[in-house]
Amino acid sequence: MLYNSSMLLTYQFKLNPTPEQVVILESWGELLRRHWNYALGERLNWLRRTRSQIDRCSLVSEPIGKIPDKADYYTQASNLKQTKELFPDYKNIYADCQQQNLMRLDKAWKRWLTPDKKGKRGGRPRFKKRGDISSFTFPRVNSPKAGAHLHT
C-alpha cells in the first residue's frame, strides 16, 4: 500500500486504566454529558425564542424580552472559561476534550438543520442519559499537558 505524504493518519488506542483512572474517566464522561446537555439546551432555547409560526405571534406562551445571542460552537467554546470558574470540576478536564464535545454537538446540530445533497436531514440532537458518553477525544496526545512527558 502506498502512502501519500499529505495523508493524515489517526490512531485509536484501547486503554487499560487502573481503578483510580477509571474513576477519573467516568467522572469526566459524566461532566462532558452534563456539558453536552447544557449546550444543547442553550441551542434549543435560542431556536424556540427566535421562531414562531408563520400565521401567528404568540403573546401568551412565549416570553417577551431580550432574545438571547445565537448559540453555536464559537460562542459556547468561548464560554468554557466561565464554565470552569463556576464549576471547578471542569478544570480537571482538558480544554481539547471539552471543545471536541462541543464540535460533536455542532456537527449533529448542523446535520439536523441543514439537509444533505439528497435533501435528507439527521434527527434532532438528543439529550444524553447517564452512561451515553462512553468515549472522548484527546486531539493532542503528544502535548505535555496530556501526559506525554519525556523522561531523561
Side-chain angles (χ1 to χ4, degrees):
M1 177 183 223
L2 296 174
Y3 289 101
N4 186 341
S5 63
S6 65
M7 185 185 303
L8 295 176
L9 298 176
T10 60
Y11 298 96
Q12 188 174 23
F13 298 97
K14 182 171 178 158
L15 300 177
N16 292 316
T18 65
E20 296 84 19
Q21 291 170 329
V22 167
V23 171
I24 292 169
L25 294 174
E26 286 176 350
S27 71
W28 282 19
E30 176 61 17
L31 289 171
L32 290 171
R33 178 190 74 84
R34 291 178 185 178
H35 191 244
W36 168 286
N37 288 345
Y38 181 80
L40 177 57
E42 274 186 330
R43 289 170 183 239
L44 292 172
N45 183 45
W46 174 83
L47 196 64
R48 183 182 60 80
R49 298 280 307 266
T50 58
R51 301 293 186 268
S52 64
Q53 293 182 0
I54 200 162
D55 62 342
R56 66 187 70 109
C57 178
S58 173
L59 298 176
V60 177
S61 65
E62 298 295 324
I64 297 176
K66 183 180 180 293
I67 295 175
D69 294 334
K70 183 176 182 181
D72 61 5
Y73 169 76
Y74 299 103
T75 58
Q76 291 179 325
S78 68
N79 291 335
L80 287 175
K81 186 174 183 180
Q82 183 182 9
T83 301
K84 290 180 180 189
E85 290 172 3
L86 292 172
F87 305 102
D89 288 343
Y90 285 94
K91 289 180 181 179
N92 298 326
I93 302 175
Y94 303 128
D96 290 349
C97 292
Q98 292 173 312
Q99 290 166 355
Q100 289 290 319
N101 197 35
L102 288 174
M103 284 180 194
R104 285 181 181 158
L105 173 60
D106 196 55
K107 187 175 180 181
W109 183 260
K110 288 177 180 173
R111 211 177 300 135
W112 175 49
L113 293 179
T114 310
D116 64 7
K117 293 176 183 175
K118 295 181 180 178
K120 294 187 178 183
R121 293 197 243 187
R124 188 184 100 181
R126 296 183 181 184
F127 290 102
K128 303 285 186 189
K129 298 176 193 166
R130 280 189 181 273
D132 277 355
I133 293 185
S134 59
S135 68
F136 40 86
T137 306
F138 292 97
R140 292 185 273 167
V141 172
N142 291 329
S143 74
K145 188 173 183 182
H149 303 286
L150 293 175
H151 299 287
T152 56

